[in-house]
Amino acid sequence: MSTVDAACPSACSRASVDLGWFRRRQLITIGGVALAVAVFQLGASICDFSLAYALTSVPAALAWMLQNFMPTASSLGELGYVLEQTVSTVLDSVAATVIAAILGIVLAVLGSRTVGVEWGPVRGIIRAFASVVRNVPMVAWALLLLLSFKQNEFTGFLALFLTTFGQLTRFFLDTFDEIPTGPVEALRACGASFWHVVFQAGLPLAAADLMSWMLYMVETNIRSATLIGLLTGTGIGFVFQLYYNSFRYDCAGLVIVLTIVLVLAIEAVSNVARRSMI
Amino acid sequence: MAGMQLTQSAAAVVERDARGRLRTSSSKGANRAIPITLAVLAVLTVLTFARMQYGAVDLGRAALQALADARAMFLQPALDPPYGASHFTWETVAQSTVITLAVTVVCTLLSAVVSFLLALAASENLSSPAVSNAVKAVVAVIRAIPTILWVLVFTVAIGLGSEAAVLGISLHSIAYLTKSYSESFEEIDGGVIEALRASGAGFWQTVFQAVLPGTITKLLSWTFIRFEINFTNAVAVGAFAGAGGIGFQLYQAGTRYYNLHEVGVIVYVCILVAFALELVSVRLRRRYIIND
Amino acid sequence: MTQHVPLLKITGLGKSYDGPRATGQRHALQGVDTTIEAGEFVAVIGPSGAGKSTFLRCINRLIEPSEGSVVFEGRDITHLRRGDLRAVHTKIAMIFQNYNLVYRLCAIQNVLHGRLGYKNALAGALGLYTEDEKARAFELLDEVGLGEFAYRRADQLSGGQKQRVGIARALIQDPKIILCDEPIASLDPKSSRMVMEHLCRVTRQHGIACVVNLHQVDFALEFSDRIIGLREGEKVFEGTPDEVTPQVIARIYEGDEEALVDVEVAGPAPLASGVPVADVSAVGVGATAPGGAQ
Amino acid sequence: MTQHVPLLKITGLGKSYDGPRATGQRHALQGVDTTIEAGEFVAVIGPSGAGKSTFLRCINRLIEPSEGSVVFEGRDITHLRRGDLRAVHTKIAMIFQNYNLVYRLCAIQNVLHGRLGYKNALAGALGLYTEDEKARAFELLDEVGLGEFAYRRADQLSGGQKQRVGIARALIQDPKIILCDEPIASLDPKSSRMVMEHLCRVTRQHGIACVVNLHQVDFALEFSDRIIGLREGEKVFEGTPDEVTPQVIARIYEGDEEALVDVEVAGPAPLASGVPVADVSAVGVGATAPGGAQ
Amino acid sequence: GSTEGKGGAATTGSDEGSTVDKITMVWLPNESSAEFDKGREEFGKVLEKYAGVPVELMTTTDYNVAIEAIASGKAQLANMGAEGFIQAQKKNAKVMPLVTTSDTDGKLDGAKYFSRICVPADQMDQYKDDSDPTGYSIKNVKSKRMSFVSATSTSGFKVPSNAIMDAFPDEVASTDELTKPGFFSQVLFGNSHPGSAVNLLQGDADVAAFDDIDVDMYLDVPTDDRDKANSAGQVYNVKDGAAQPFDRVQGKSFGIIQSTPVLNGPIAVNTEVLPQDIIDKLLEGLTSKETASDELLFAPEDVEDSGAVWSLGDTAGFIAVEDSWYDPIRNLA
Ligand SMILES: Nc1ncnc2c1ncn2[C@@H]1O[C@H](COP(=O)(O)OP(=O)(O)OP(=O)(O)O)[C@@H](O)[C@H]1O
Ligand SMILES: Nc1ncnc2c1ncn2[C@@H]1O[C@H](COP(=O)(O)OP(=O)(O)OP(=O)(O)O)[C@@H](O)[C@H]1O
Ligand SMILES: [Mg+2]
Ligand SMILES: [Mg+2]
């Protein structure tokens, strides 16, 4: 320390001698890591999770999975049926997204800060409503609808629609909030009415982002549809469960492989679409 | 039709449609991506409704029934009689919420650590193209598989307890975070890495001294956003397999006891937790991901 | 009956913001009186925060004034309801610093937006314009020198070109007056001059009055018929460019640290072309200097 | 044994890029020979794209040279493996145009990064520096005039200050040579001069050799012991500043449209201070003009 | 509970056949729910007492898990349904039944419950068939809207599907086909026995399969003679004030057109990973009087919410059972 003082005149001697600064930083870092470890341990003990067991069983589990879930020649016989269900899942995802997007855009337009209606409560109500719809667990929507609409594709569609609707409205609200306010103001100053502003400034400015969110939702929905399908007995979720529960893991594996192929394909297509929209 | 007085070069640009009307957007080189995408989605939607199986139920009656059920669920949530049936106590609901949160914490931390390492390998600026592409491909495949399938598969492969659920949720979470993290890594200034390399710093030194400090806020934001998603997943997965928690109670209330009032209580608990998490993650996202 | 009705008569116009920000100066604008005649070109100058934007926006009620009245063509528009205001907006066009074009639409579509005030909800929303409107839009674009760029997307135009689209959009409204809020603040000197020249020429040609907020005193002096000086929300000067002496400039900008004008050094108008006052005045601190500052 | 070993001996150094870009000139650098002695201050000048950056980066193998050899302190480092290269890197420091600091860390931490090459993976990764290292970092920061800014985050420093942190980071490596790739290209003239003066002073003081890529010929002439001129990847000049005549400048920049030098107008070195050649030459086209261009 | 814990600590159980230091027992999802917490814990204690080694109880929320666990030897004991037991045995022949719950007389004869195919009471006529000894048959179910419980249920799917396959040998090749529309105009899954019953009573299905023990508490069903109560032709009403989900179908009634007895599921043991001496000790202990009179295991009749897994209204206790006793079920598969 003293060497520093000697070597380092005037200004720095006051500021720099405080090497304890480094110690404090280190303590903060160590503290952060320790906190994370402690939280992890706490969580693990609460939910009775053994990291060691989990990690050691992963290799065996993966091997077992590859062995059992690898589609076999005989499972290919089910390809037609699985394919049919997969396609229906994809179509449901698309339809749920489109319908949800139409309603979502209406709500988002009304509720957004930039183009929305000026009367405050409308905005608050729309945001609260969207937030509740979105945060109700998907399982709860499925259970609710299952009771009245019974087990069929339409029920799956409805459940998917409700969750998508909540999410898309949120994304759309954000999108509309982020469009530049200048053009909107400019159109108002021209004497444009509410709907003029929405269609001539709001939608053109937001279009690319809205589409991007929609495409993203289609992808996500295929995954969500699997869960909903398990509950409502439709689409790939249902066929997966059917094979899984009857121990025909090879056929279940076929469902997984098809899901991968499909999701990746849709991801690729929507990436192309998204890129060419900018 | 109004005769326009335009300079020659301007007149050469003006286009008219088949009926001789002035066009307000050029037919040449226009960006058709949005209309085409919209058209495709619209056609698919119509197709879906045309071939959808609507079941044997009378849709009108079912809709009314659903509204009545929704009313029971959202407006009359209760655990105790007269609406509830005392299948659950507040204590058990609170307990299982804590369990679900614990699963969420474990999944998120586990996947954050693994993803950090994978993301280093997946980032083009930190890794070799071959490794980067390989990791990205694997991650894309993992991400394509729905969480619930991972959990079910792990359930039979590993067996009981929370491990299957945690691993199943984590796998998807890892894929997601690896993508987000590596995108954050790829955004950092290549010059900084080069500077440290030029002064003789090794790989891990570069990572911890330049990459991590430069991206830590983004990483934390992404992690928290994923925490929120993981909670949702933990609820959904709890309904089917492994860890139990609030999701399992939701499932039981719904499919075993058919008590929508109790479902309502659990749903409100989930909404409350999700609200709290969302509040934080929206803030973080605004602050560090969008505006950075 | 035969009494002269000015185009725009502004009396005691004021705006105060409440809330936590309003600690010191509550009034962004206070007691401004003025009259704008048809076809006049008026420049509003003043330091940053003087209330220039507030003044302009209070005129067409993009900001609701908190006191005073705005009488447009003999009609008090200060308390008009939204619906009636639309009709007034068609007659009062506006041009913005950031152009405020819908950047995903092409130039001609942006110009046509100026017609929205005349259209019903459906036609306007769907962008169904008449052939006459379209023809006129092309002509106006051509008039500001952008005939070739009619189908170019707005975000592919340069700053000066964007502002000229903004001018065309204002013109197609067939306005009686155009309000311009720092139309050239984001432009380089060359584009600035071009935009100002276009603006000046077309307004004179079509007999449209024009109120322009400007940071560039030299441009204000060069182009306008009359100059209004604002400081801390109040009108501190009004007169012809000839009457703008260095002392006047100093009075307007006095107290604004960034824009202290050295009266001895700066010659009489016009000042060096294209250079904002802040730069000119960076030279030194003169007679009216910091003492008057607050 | 007693034979003189130069600090750096570069022989036939060349780099060619393949791929679609390589249509015309495949060689970014070709057959460059030179020798740098300990403590020397060498400036490399040349038009944009001449290969200055490539030359510098080939020396410490941030770019792998495709031909030739680099001998550092008598050891051929052209084909060293990664691990061994690390040790060499500690002796060859580098300073960049864009400073390349870790913006979220503070100045002192950035300086200490220069020590990473001497540390093992763990200590380096965790940022565990010895007290001596820290003390030295503070000294060096003070030496470049930033003692007070030690705990300031790098992104809160001005451009010139950032570059001085970069110099301190290079110095703490205890290098034998510092390579600087346009260290002042992003700075205003005043900061540029300050950075160059600091750089020149500390390298002379510590006896460190320095190779600086510069766009500013005037600075090159003013500060360096020797000047190397590159054009289209080849060395077209090497000599002392005195030997740099307008003709030499013209030869180096000849054919480069942006930097045509009017030999008649431009006087002998030093040229107007702080103004890059491109600006000086905007005056006109002189004797050696476009004919020689390719 | 403290005894419920980690799964397959004995991941590679197969090579520890002679000795065990811990017994793992797995429960099916139905018996895993919180209402049976006390009963399961008590059962664990009983096992510990007789086996002389610590017992770990594993609850499941997934049917497959229980079966995979016992078949792979990760669990030594499992409380199973008859169908699940057969499936586990198919995967590993060393899985054997140990005990099952007896009938109320303490015998094996009535150790069963009933899988029923039912239709709305007012449509019973359509299914009358004099050629059948019961007076009713399922000859007319084709192209109707069908409701099962779930694709994995024994009494709610496997048994009725087999009955249908037997009745329509030319039209249905495998039970798989019955999971999707084809033979039936529509196939619903109620996800539970009450769910399937409600599907029927609400009019969403024309025909439904469900069992007796999960549904009869909501109905006016006489309890004295179970065989008779479950015979074809019987018609039952939903009780007044029945709890959810039957609250929405109060007053509705249905009739049974076919009924098949299903054997009670066993407590199964994987003999590969549990030494014979412990198996013997467990068999002796579980079938003892003491166990049968444990009110935490077998709730006395009319006692509700005791947490016991079984009820003396249905059974008198555990009884040893031979592998061959399950042959009827085995033949269904
Ligand atoms: N929305 C607002 N809320 C509170 N105060 C505001 C608001 N908008 C403007 N002000 C204040 O009103 C005063 C005048 O602002 P105004 O924008 O009119 O100034 P200006 O002359 O246009 O300045 P500039 O040249 O920087 O554009 C300023 O003090 C400003 O801080
Ligand atoms: N990665 C690369 N791939 C292909 N060609 C490259 C690459 N990097 C540089 N080049 C080419 O090599 C030549 C020399 O580039 P270099 O960056 O060394 O020039 P420079 O003298 O540093 O120019 P400047 O003054 O603009 O920095 C240029 O023609 C450049 O286009
Ligand atoms: Mg302003
Ligand atoms: Mg360069």
Side-chain angles (χ1 to χ4, degrees), chain E residues 141-196:
Chain E
V141 298
K142 186 170 182 220
S143 300
K144 291 282 195 307
R145 297 172 303 164
M146 178 72 197
S147 170
F148 291 114
V149 173
S150 71
T152 50
S153 167
T154 305
S155 53
F157 181 71
K158 290 280 155 64
V159 175
S161 297
N162 275 298
I164 292 162
M165 259 173 71
D166 286 345
F168 301 92
D170 304 329
E171 296 178 56
V172 186
S174 81
T175 56
D176 255 12
E177 291 173 23
L178 296 178
T179 59
K180 40 201 158 186
F183 177 79
F184 293 113
S185 65
Q186 192 113 55
V187 179
L188 297 178
F189 289 93
N191 282 329
S192 68
H193 293 272
S196 183

Side-chain angles (χ1 to χ4, degrees), chain C residues 27-107:
Chain C
H27 284 271
L29 197 69
Q30 198 169 12
V32 175
D33 300 310
T34 195
T35 304
I36 313 270
E37 298 294 340
E40 245 192 326
F41 199 104
V42 178
V44 181
I45 59 175
S48 188
K52 302 186 295 296
S53 301
T54 308
F55 172 62
L56 224 60
R57 277 151 206 263
C58 277
I59 294 177
N60 69 350
R61 287 185 48 206
L62 278 186
I63 292 177
E64 290 296 335
S66 30
E67 58 206 40
S69 75
V70 178
V71 178
F72 179 68
E73 294 190 315
R75 183 176 179 206
D76 188 338
I77 62 169
T78 330
H79 303 287
L80 282 189
R81 281 173 307 118
R82 284 228 142 257
D84 302 328
L85 202 58
R86 245 191 97 191
V88 173
H89 274 158
T90 60
K91 293 289 149 207
I92 306 180
M94 193 149 185
I95 288 173
F96 303 82
Q97 170 178 348
N98 300 316
Y99 330 124
N100 289 353
L101 304 180
V102 179
Y103 58 81
R104 282 191 65 88
L105 298 181
C106 61

Side-chain angles (χ1 to χ4, degrees), chain C residues 179-221:
Chain C
L179 309 175
C180 312
D181 195 1
E182 302 189 10
I184 53 173
S186 311
L187 300 177
D188 58 283
K190 218 168 118 190
S191 307
S192 292
R193 173 158 294 277
M194 190 167 213
V195 165
M196 283 305 287
E197 278 167 359
H198 269 293
L199 186 64
C200 199
R201 187 168 53 71
V202 292
T203 50
R204 286 193 203 287
Q205 203 167 307
H206 297 264
I208 301 168
C210 195
V211 182
V212 192
N213 281 356
L214 281 176
H215 258 135
Q216 292 90 335
V217 178
D218 52 337
F219 276 130
L221 298 172

Side-chain angles (χ1 to χ4, degrees), chain D residues 13-17 28-29 49-59 63 181 213 230:
Chain D
L13 198 64
K15 171 72 186 175
S16 56
Y17 291 105
L29 197 70
K52 300 185 298 296
S53 300
T54 307
F55 171 64
L56 224 61
R57 276 149 209 265
C58 278
I59 293 177
I63 292 177
D181 193 3
N213 281 355
L230 289 183

Side-chain angles (χ1 to χ4, degrees), chain B:
Chain B
M1 188 163 304
M4 285 187 295
Q5 275 139 35
L6 297 180
T7 54
Q8 255 186 354
S9 54
V13 167
V14 175
E15 291 178 30
R16 288 175 186 276
D17 67 10
R19 288 155 66 185
R21 293 178 306 188
L22 292 164
R23 300 186 58 116
T24 54
S25 58
S26 173
S27 57
K28 284 171 286 207
N31 190 339
R32 297 251 167 274
I34 290 178
I36 288 174
T37 314
L38 274 179
V40 168
L41 290 178
V43 166
L44 287 179
T45 306
V46 171
L47 195 72
T48 311
F49 285 120
R51 56 155 290 289
M52 186 176 300
Q53 289 149 13
Y54 293 92
V57 286
D58 171 358
L59 292 184
R61 219 189 52 184
L64 286 180
Q65 177 70 53
L67 281 179
D69 287 346
R71 200 173 138 265
M73 186 164 134
F74 288 113
L75 300 182
Q76 301 161 336
L79 289 183
D80 303 315
Y83 292 132
S86 296
H87 291 115
F88 312 100
T89 62
W90 280 104
E91 197 193 335
T92 55
V93 169
Q95 248 172 25
S96 46
T97 309
V98 170
I99 290 182
T100 302
L101 276 172
V103 170
T104 313
V105 166
V106 170
C107 290
T108 309
L109 286 175
L110 190 65
S111 48
V113 172
V114 177
S115 302
F116 178 73
L117 300 177
L118 281 180
L120 291 177
S123 302
E124 272 155 22
N125 51 347
L126 299 174
S127 157
S128 69
V131 175
S132 158
N133 287 334
V135 173
K136 280 182 176 168
V138 170
V139 157
V141 168
I142 291 177
R143 223 158 40 87
I145 302 176
T147 305
I148 187 67
L149 297 195
W150 278 123
V151 174
L152 287 177
V153 168
F154 268 115
T155 306
V156 282
I158 293 185
L160 313 124
S162 55
E163 282 83 3
V166 168
L167 286 178
I169 297 173
S170 297
L171 215 56
H172 205 267
S173 181
I174 285 169
Y176 176 96
L177 286 181
T178 302
K179 186 160 184 269
S180 314
Y181 286 0
S182 65
E183 276 165 12
S184 301
F185 291 161
E186 281 166 8
E187 276 167 28
I188 61 174
D189 186 1
V192 178
I193 297 170
E194 192 176 41
L196 261 72
R197 205 148 61 81
S199 68
F203 177 77
W204 291 109
Q205 296 175 346
T206 313
V207 165
F208 282 98
Q209 288 296 320
V211 177
L212 192 56
T215 53
I216 186 82
T217 51
K218 272 190 190 184
L219 301 194
L220 285 178
S221 306
W222 280 121
T223 312
F224 202 86
I225 287 165
R226 187 63 209 188
F227 186 82
E228 193 193 343
I229 301 175
N230 280 349
F231 177 75
T232 312
N233 280 341
V235 171
V237 161
F240 288 96
I246 192 88
F248 184 54
Q249 291 194 338
L250 181 62
Y251 187 69
Q252 291 251 310
T255 61
R256 192 175 160 84
Y257 308 129
Y258 290 98
N259 194 318
L260 287 170
H261 309 292
E262 293 175 344
V263 168
V265 170
I266 296 171
V267 163
Y268 276 117
V269 169
C270 293
I271 291 180
L272 228 63
V273 175
F275 261 25
L277 298 182
E278 189 183 315
L279 213 69
V280 181
S281 81
V282 164
R283 291 252 165 95
L284 285 172
R285 174 183 276 274
R286 290 254 159 82
R287 180 132 173 239
Y288 293 120
I289 294 183
I290 293 177
N291 291 340
D292 231 33

Side-chain angles (χ1 to χ4, degrees), chain A residues 118 180-197 199-201 203-208 277-278, chain C residues 57 62 82 86 89-90 92 94 96 100-105 113-114 116-117 119-121 124-127 129 169 173:
Chain A
E118 315 231 308
T181 50
V184 174
E185 190 179 37
L187 257 66
R188 290 224 173 101
C190 290
S193 70
F194 176 77
W195 292 111
H196 292 166
V197 173
F199 280 90
Q200 290 294 324
L203 286 179
L205 289 170
M277 265 171 213
I278 299 161
Chain C
R57 277 151 206 263
L62 278 186
R82 284 228 142 257
R86 245 191 97 191
H89 274 158
T90 60
I92 306 180
M94 193 149 185
F96 303 82
N100 289 353
L101 304 180
V102 179
Y103 58 81
R104 282 191 65 88
L105 298 181
H113 281 165
L116 288 174
K119 307 200 83 69
N120 65 38
L126 300 182
Y129 303 98
R169 177 174 64 183
Q173 285 186 241

Side-chain angles (χ1 to χ4, degrees), chain E residues 68-81:
Chain E
E68 293 288 353
I70 184 80
S72 67
K74 284 180 192 171
Q76 285 87 357
L77 289 172
N79 177 30
M80 315 196 80

